[in-house]
Amino acid sequence: MAAPSLLNWRRVSSFTGPVPRARHGHRAVAIRELMIIFGGGNEGIADELHVYNTVTNQWFLPAVRGDIPPGCAAHGFVCDGTRILVFGGMVEYGRYSNELYELQASRWLWKKVKPHPPSSGLPPCPRLGHSFSLYGNKCYLFGGLANESEDSNNNVPRYLNDFYELELQHGSGVVGWSIPVTKGIVPSPRESHTAVIYCKRDSGSPKMYVFGGMCGARLDDLWQLDLETMSWSKPETKGTVPLPRSLHTASVIGNKMYIFGGWVPHKGENIETSPHDCEWRCTSSFSYLNLDTAEWTTLVSDSQEDKKNSRPRPRAGHCAVAIGTRLYFWSGRDGYKKALNSQVCCKDLWYLDTEKPPAPSQVQLIKATTNSFHVKWDEVPTVEGYLLQLNTDLPYQAASSDSSASPNMQGVRMDPHRQGSNSIIPNSISDIVNSVKSEHTAMKGTSVKNKPDLKASNDSNASLHSSLSANASNHNSCVVDMLRKNEGPHTSANIGVLSSCLDLRTVIPETSVSSTVSSAQTMVTQQTIKTESSSTNGAVVKDETSLTAFSTKAEVDETCALPATKISRVEAHAATMPFSKETPSNPVAMVKAGERQWCDVGIFKNNTALVSQFYLLPKGKQSISKIGNADVPDYSLLKKQDLVPGTGYRFRVAAINGCGIGPFSKISEFKTCIPGFPGAPSAVRISKNVEGIHLSWEPPTSPSGNILEYSAYLAIRTAQIQDNPSQLVFMRIYCGLKTSCIVTAGQLANAHIDYTSRPAIVFRISAKNEKGYGPATQVRWLQECHCW
């Protein structure tokens, strides 16, 4: 974790949609990139459900239905997959609840649930300020504050330390409450404490950690409950324990429990001598407990003043949500003056990256031309940009002050026309193409039609805009050809095809015929496969007889969901990111990798890039600008070098967040095209018939001469695939001039079902002209029934 002085808080200053009114006592959970907020109070208790999309910076109010619960504050709020449970809380002043509601967030459907009472004892009484924690299929309720008086206007507080277990049914519904028998000394009664559950990776039993709270006075004690043995203990800790507090938040990321904010004793007060009478105030102190070593670390002390508004101001009753390794904080109250009987709520949203981002997936190819690549990689959650680098076997022409930015390179040895007889053997299960050294990567990304927002999230980002603007000229937009969706009446599964310009290097969005296409959600998965073949246009440079291929699945945006008789052209923009000057990172325009030097392509905001040039450092110079904590190249001062036809390039990418640059991905290798080969077939359609299925396609939009024949291939089952599912094996099922073929039920019976995401059968189709075979279009045919 970064030292306190290097913490890089970010305030979200630009967002859209209906922003919820400021409040305290609300709760929040995360479902993927969504932060979902419910309840809280400020001039009345709020009953709306608000959602914030951390990717699009958009607030929205979902149209909920069903048994909508009343507004509540200081309630229990947990998330199990896409369902959320709400228990208890204050529904009006002096009146507390013990009702349980379930929200199915996939449908925004509320349902009031009635768990069975414990076999012995009473169910939980109405309460607020309790902890409600989820682990597995059980929720754990501890403590809180009850009202002893039957008159809600006459509040007689009773602090609780009872402990309940709530068993959940799978997917929806609950079984009932139970009262576990615990061992050891039970923590003292309290409310407005926190409780988190943590289990060491690969070892140990899950443990619940209770910290702080209120019982007439604020508390700073830490308790541990082993959920297997149900034994309470008070672990000994090292380091500086945070001040006594209540109404704080506790969030677990990795093996650390982060404690932020809350009410703490006023400076100079001696809480040991007068715990009930001393003044209390809000704090912005920030600490974490290493749950493996039981050591506290202070990141922001209570005495540190913030004169530059560079971090959240003191607050209590706020909410905190962990999304990936990023912590989000929203609203809360920043003080309470008894004399004035007033309180002020914060309206701000902040986040903090707690560690460097993980490595993205390998760079994957969408499309290649003779002098450019359109590439993408796995989207890493909660990052601010990506550093893309490349290197090549060609000698670099290091730039001097008067050298050309794009030297002409000659002498590349290639044999793009080599055509062996062993590339594809048709019509036989035993005669197959064995794929070798395949690598599989899961990829989550956004539709290629999305246009990245070049506006920085805060003003400091503008400082790098000019230095990175040269990247925008690196082909800042392109048109991805032939993104299609098949909706014919006899089509059993819809397919989308995105053609590439390298042999068997394709991106294929897909939908099932029964699915609802949503422009707000996109899921993409991706794999890299190397197969033996003699078609070498665009092959990797290590082996002239190898081809690179990968498939991508996605839910197609509404704008791409066109009838089969139409063609949709979808724009994909690759843009550089005006990166924040506050972000610590250490990109270097040229870094030695063995005997190779890695050159920066640039820093990109989104997970796609159109690459036609890369940057060179001046010979013998280090053109590095010191910006904040980061050493960032001033790209406007660097020379650029163009990509060369028929040349192999290696790519790697690293994600960047507020903690700096993470590790680089594994290396991918692509080759620019050689002019003259045909493009990929387009408009692939699949429909069932009595013999099996009918597979049809349209000729390439750029045939580069006469098409001599087409070949279609089917991924088939082999023992090799069973041992390594990502190592696909293909058999040719058709070769001829027609733009359609029948795939028989017998052939389909031997098809490999690809489970990289939704089950699908994989086809490839390619065209041949006088120069040879061009790139293949790969199609995943979604299967409702997984067998033939």
Side-chain angles (χ1 to χ4, degrees), residues 58-74:
Q58 180 181 22
W59 288 98
F60 64 93
L61 277 164
V64 296
R65 54 196 175 92
D67 305 325
I68 300 174
C72 57

Side-chain angles (χ1 to χ4, degrees), residues 484-495 513 562-565 684-688:
R484 303 183 44 79
K485 181 185 175 190
N486 191 0
E487 293 182 335
H490 305 294
T491 303
S492 59
N494 294 327
I495 27 181
V513 71
L562 301 179
T565 56
V684 180
R685 298 175 179 86
I686 297 176
S687 59
K688 288 184 178 180

Side-chain angles (χ1 to χ4, degrees), residues 382-439:
T382 64
V383 299
E384 299 181 0
Y386 302 91
L387 172 63
L388 181 64
Q389 293 184 334
L390 64 73
N391 72 28
T392 180
D393 288 328
L394 292 175
Y396 296 125
Q397 298 196 7
S400 61
S401 57
D402 58 351
S403 64
S404 170
S406 305
N408 184 23
M409 294 187 176
Q410 303 291 339
V412 182
R413 292 187 58 193
M414 293 195 63
D415 185 7
H417 311 294
R418 183 175 180 269
Q419 185 78 20
S421 60
N422 64 341
S423 59
I424 300 291
I425 301 178
N427 305 326
S428 170
I429 296 296
S430 59
D431 297 329
I432 58 179
V433 182
N434 290 312
S435 60
V436 294
K437 298 180 181 177
S438 67
E439 296 173 348

Side-chain angles (χ1 to χ4, degrees), residues 256-540:
K256 299 178 178 66
M257 177 178 73
Y258 292 90
I259 302 293
F260 176 74
W263 269 7
V264 297
H266 199 279
K267 294 178 183 178
E269 295 287 347
N270 186 345
I271 63 170
E272 295 181 358
T273 58
S274 56
H276 293 269
D277 300 323
C278 67
E279 289 293 327
W280 301 88
R281 60 184 177 81
C282 292
T283 182
S284 60
S285 58
F286 188 42
S287 302
Y288 72 78
L289 176 69
N290 186 312
L291 296 171
D292 292 336
T293 63
E295 182 174 3
W296 287 103
T297 299
T298 301
L299 298 172
V300 178
S301 71
D302 197 72
S303 61
Q304 284 180 269
E305 294 185 8
D306 180 26
K307 297 180 180 179
K308 298 180 180 180
N309 296 319
S310 59
R311 66 172 187 266
R313 70 181 190 262
R315 67 193 63 210
H318 53 284
C319 68
V321 165
I323 297 180
T325 59
R326 176 175 288 179
L327 270 175
Y328 282 86
F329 303 93
W330 182 72
S331 200
R333 63 185 179 193
D334 67 357
Y336 185 85
K337 298 294 185 182
K338 291 183 180 179
L340 300 177
N341 194 27
S342 64
Q343 59 190 38
V344 179
C345 285
C346 310
K347 299 179 181 180
D348 47 357
L349 174 64
W350 293 78
Y351 67 82
L352 176 73
D353 291 308
T354 60
E355 58 188 61
K356 290 183 179 181
S361 68
Q362 285 178 285
V363 176
Q364 302 290 356
L365 185 67
I366 294 176
K367 185 174 181 177
T369 68
T370 55
N371 58 3
S372 71
F373 296 113
H374 185 193
V375 296
K376 72 184 305 179
W377 50 89
D378 191 348
E379 186 181 56
V380 180
T382 64
V383 299
E384 299 181 0
Y386 302 91
L387 172 63
L388 181 64
Q389 293 184 334
L390 64 73
N391 72 28
T392 180
D393 288 328
L394 292 175
Y396 296 125
Q397 298 196 7
S400 61
S401 57
D402 58 351
S403 64
S404 170
S406 305
N408 184 23
M409 294 187 176
Q410 303 291 339
V412 182
R413 292 187 58 193
M414 293 195 63
D415 185 7
H417 311 294
R418 183 175 180 269
Q419 185 78 20
S421 60
N422 64 341
S423 59
I424 300 291
I425 301 178
N427 305 326
S428 170
I429 296 296
S430 59
D431 297 329
I432 58 179
V433 182
N434 290 312
S435 60
V436 294
K437 298 180 181 177
S438 67
E439 296 173 348
H440 172 260
T441 305
M443 176 172 186
K444 180 180 178 184
T446 55
S447 166
V448 293
K449 88 178 201 58
N450 292 338
K451 298 181 180 180
D453 183 7
L454 296 182
K455 294 182 179 179
S457 61
N458 58 49
D459 294 338
S460 62
N461 284 340
S463 61
L464 270 180
H465 182 68
S466 60
S467 65
L468 298 186
S469 60
N471 258 350
S473 64
N474 193 4
H475 282 273
N476 63 0
S477 67
C478 71
V479 177
V480 179
D481 295 321
M482 315 306 293
L483 183 58
R484 303 183 44 79
K485 181 185 175 190
N486 191 0
E487 293 182 335
H490 305 294
T491 303
S492 59
N494 294 327
I495 27 181
V497 179
L498 192 66
S499 65
S500 74
C501 284
L502 285 186
D503 283 334
L504 305 182
R505 295 172 177 177
T506 56
V507 174
I508 304 92
E510 63 175 346
T511 62
S512 64
V513 71
S514 60
S515 65
T516 300
V517 179
S518 169
S519 61
Q521 297 179 350
T522 305
M523 294 295 294
V524 183
T525 59
Q526 196 163 5
Q527 63 180 355
T528 300
I529 306 146
K530 294 182 180 178
T531 60
E532 291 181 356
S533 172
S534 58
S535 299
T536 58
N537 174 33
V540 295

Side-chain angles (χ1 to χ4, degrees), residues 149 256 643 717:
S149 173
K256 299 178 178 66
L643 302 190
R717 290 196 309 272

Side-chain angles (χ1 to χ4, degrees), residues 159-314:
Y159 295 97
L160 305 171
N161 66 344
D162 50 356
F163 179 61
Y164 287 86
E165 185 179 85
L166 175 65
E167 184 178 353
L168 311 182
Q169 292 179 346
H170 179 71
S172 178
V174 297
V175 178
W177 294 105
S178 62
I179 304 176
V181 177
T182 61
K183 306 170 187 175
I185 300 175
V186 179
S188 61
R190 65 193 64 207
E191 58 101 359
S192 297
H193 55 283
T194 55
V196 301
I197 297 176
Y198 170 72
C199 184
K200 285 186 179 180
R201 185 177 297 179
D202 302 327
S203 65
S205 59
K207 295 177 174 61
M208 185 171 78
Y209 294 88
V210 175
F211 176 72
M214 170 73 170
C215 185
R218 270 75 186 181
L219 304 169
D220 64 353
D221 50 350
L222 177 72
W223 294 84
Q224 173 184 288
L225 175 65
D226 188 310
L227 294 180
E228 286 189 359
T229 64
M230 286 296 166
S231 300
W232 285 103
S233 61
K234 199 170 181 180
E236 294 184 6
T237 62
K238 297 171 284 186
T240 303
V241 178
L243 289 174
R245 66 191 61 212
S246 63
L247 293 172
H248 54 286
T249 53
S251 309
V252 174
I253 297 179
N255 65 346
K256 299 178 178 66
M257 177 178 73
Y258 292 90
I259 302 293
F260 176 74
W263 269 7
V264 297
H266 199 279
K267 294 178 183 178
E269 295 287 347
N270 186 345
I271 63 170
E272 295 181 358
T273 58
S274 56
H276 293 269
D277 300 323
C278 67
E279 289 293 327
W280 301 88
R281 60 184 177 81
C282 292
T283 182
S284 60
S285 58
F286 188 42
S287 302
Y288 72 78
L289 176 69
N290 186 312
L291 296 171
D292 292 336
T293 63
E295 182 174 3
W296 287 103
T297 299
T298 301
L299 298 172
V300 178
S301 71
D302 197 72
S303 61
Q304 284 180 269
E305 294 185 8
D306 180 26
K307 297 180 180 179
K308 298 180 180 180
N309 296 319
S310 59
R311 66 172 187 266
R313 70 181 190 262

